[in-house]
């Protein structure tokens, strides 16, 4: 199996925590970069001052997603709660 085939059967998976007030900018960046990954906000309590965001995407796009995340991290703190690779057959 080639490395490209392995990548085609793999996803990156992040869960990122950020401050509630930074979430609108974060969502805007991923809307502007449509198609890089799937993301959703995990359940939260209305008074929580943070948001946890689940991101999954094709491993071949991970470098581009990491670039967007690094640019966001220059503006506000991001905490990676999950950083893994998911494989499937």
């Amino acid at each position: 199996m080639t490395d490209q085939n392995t990548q085609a059967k793999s996803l990156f998976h992040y869960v990122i925590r950020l401050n509630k007030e930074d979430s609108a900018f974060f969502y805007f960046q991923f809307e502007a970069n449509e198609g890089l990954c799937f993301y959703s906000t995990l359940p939260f309590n209305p008074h929580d001052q943070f948001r946890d965001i689940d991101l999954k995407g094709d491993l071949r796009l991970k470098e581009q997603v990491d670039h967007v995340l690094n640019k966001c991290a220059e503006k506000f703190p991001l905490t990676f709660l999950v950083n893994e690779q998911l494989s499937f057959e």
Side-chain angles (χ1 to χ4, degrees):
M1 185 180 306
T2 68
D3 186 46
Q4 187 174 11
N5 286 338
T6 301
Q7 285 185 342
K9 295 181 180 182
S10 299
L11 297 174
F12 66 85
H13 177 221
Y14 296 144
V15 175
I16 296 171
R17 178 169 286 176
L18 61 144
N19 292 324
K20 177 182 173 181
E21 64 266 11
D22 298 322
S23 62
F25 182 80
F26 183 90
Y27 298 132
F28 174 79
Q29 289 303 312
F30 277 91
E31 286 292 323
N33 289 280
E34 182 180 2
L36 282 182
C37 66
F38 298 101
Y39 61 93
S40 62
T41 305
L42 297 176
F44 59 90
N45 293 315
H47 298 292
D48 288 344
Q49 294 305 306
F50 62 88
R51 295 294 180 259
D52 292 341
I53 303 171
D54 184 79
L55 297 96
K56 291 184 180 101
D58 190 304
L59 197 58
R60 295 171 292 186
L61 295 173
K62 184 178 182 293
E63 186 176 326
Q64 290 87 340
V65 171
D66 288 346
H67 177 76
V68 174
L69 292 173
N70 288 331
K71 289 298 184 181
C72 286
E74 292 175 6
K75 304 277 185 199
F76 49 82
L78 295 176
T79 302
F80 283 79
L81 304 176
V82 174
N83 182 350
E84 64 184 356
Q85 182 175 325
L86 305 173
S87 297
F88 55 94
E89 296 293 322

